């Protein structure tokens, strides 16, 4: 049915993007006002951030200057992000003191502005570097590091996203092997999990 041509765009975080960061969440939103790239939270290994930055994406794929676009309810890094039902959903992550089980969501307006985040029912346990994918109204949160031993898990949680929030997560059948720092996606009727790390990738011992 033909091939696919793609152009690689290297983003130089210009005006407004004042904090270099890792473990941040990124998501793209296409709105009547145009397409926008969002960057939320993250860490520079000294601080964990709670800000959200946004940059416009032109028709040729170039990215404009970043500017402040809002705030998370708290500091967070290593969370996953999906878009559905006109909302962005963030799940899991960590603060400086431990892993988060939080599920936060916010509406994205027609002009590309980000509404206030609200808390939904949390995951049963905190997860860092959890993977997420959306199928219809269902969000699947897979694997990630758990807090007790800082090791990868086999857990799979599912919850729904609606126009005004998120539902309670439920545990599904586990993954065949524990994994964190992985990719998760849905294609058709299948959930795919690939890549990532097993065990305790950072060698951090919990006491």
């Amino acid at each position: 049915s033909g091939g696919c041509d793609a152009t690689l765009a290297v983003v130089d975080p210009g005006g407004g993007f004042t904090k270099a960061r890792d473990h941040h969440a990124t998501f793209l939103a296409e709105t009547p006002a145009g397409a926008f790239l969002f960057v939320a939270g993250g860490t520079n290994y000294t601080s964990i951030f709670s800000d959200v930055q946004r940059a416009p994406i032109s028709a040729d794929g170039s990215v404009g200057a970043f500017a402040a676009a809002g705030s998370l309810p708290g500091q967070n890094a290593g969370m996953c992000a999906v878009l559905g039902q006109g909302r962005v959903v963030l799940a899991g992550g960590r603060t400086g003191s431990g892993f988060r089980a939080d599920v936060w969501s916010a509406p994205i307006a027609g002009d590309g502005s980000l509404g206030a985040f609200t808390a939904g029912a949390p995951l049963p346990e905190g997860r860092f570097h959890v993977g997420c994918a959306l199928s219809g109204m269902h969000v699947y949160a897979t694997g990630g590091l758990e807090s007790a031993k800082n090791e990868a898990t086999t857990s799979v949680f599912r919850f729904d996203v609606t126009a005004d929030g998120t539902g309670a997560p439920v545990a599904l059948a586990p993954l065949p092997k524990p994994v964190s720092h992985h990719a998760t996606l849905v294609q058709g009727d299948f959930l795919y999990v690939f890549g990532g790390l097993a065990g305790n990738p950072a060698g951090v011992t919990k006491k």
Side-chain angles (χ1 to χ4, degrees), residues 26 92 130 140 142 161:
T26 58
V130 60
Y140 295 88
T142 65
V161 55

Side-chain angles (χ1 to χ4, degrees), residues 13-119:
F17 201 96
T18 58
K19 299 174 182 176
R21 65 192 72 200
D22 191 9
H23 296 292
H24 49 286
T26 58
F27 53 95
L28 295 171
E30 294 191 12
T31 75
F36 296 91
L37 170 64
F38 289 84
V39 176
T43 180
N44 61 1
Y45 299 98
T46 299
S47 301
I48 294 180
F49 305 132
S50 60
D51 66 318
V52 181
Q53 300 273 328
R54 186 191 73 169
I57 302 175
S58 301
D60 63 0
S62 60
V63 179
F66 281 88
S71 297
L72 304 175
Q75 297 174 326
N76 206 358
M79 60 287 200
C80 62
V82 296
L83 271 76
Q85 307 298 318
R87 302 181 74 84
V88 58
V89 179
L90 305 177
R94 71 166 302 154
T95 65
S97 59
F99 295 169
R100 284 192 178 275
D102 302 90
V103 176
W104 299 330
S105 68
I108 299 176
D111 63 358
S113 61
L114 184 67
F117 279 91
T118 57

Side-chain angles (χ1 to χ4, degrees), residues 64-204:
F66 281 88
S71 297
L72 304 175
Q75 297 174 326
N76 206 358
M79 60 287 200
C80 62
V82 296
L83 271 76
Q85 307 298 318
R87 302 181 74 84
V88 58
V89 179
L90 305 177
R94 71 166 302 154
T95 65
S97 59
F99 295 169
R100 284 192 178 275
D102 302 90
V103 176
W104 299 330
S105 68
I108 299 176
D111 63 358
S113 61
L114 184 67
F117 279 91
T118 57
L123 301 175
E125 299 174 344
R127 290 289 184 268
F128 178 54
H129 261 297
V130 60
C132 284
L134 180 74
S135 177
M137 295 176 61
H138 303 310
V139 179
Y140 295 88
T142 65
L145 297 179
E146 53 82 26
S147 59
K149 296 181 179 180
N150 208 62
E151 292 188 349
T153 69
T154 60
S155 63
V156 179
F157 304 121
R158 185 193 69 205
F159 58 91
D160 291 345
V161 55
T162 64
D164 58 1
T166 57
V170 296
L172 302 181
L175 300 172
K177 295 181 179 180
V179 66
S180 69
H181 299 69
H182 54 290
T184 303
L185 60 87
V186 169
Q187 177 64 36
D189 295 329
F190 294 91
L191 175 69
Y192 294 89
V193 175
F194 55 95
L197 301 172
N200 182 338
V204 177

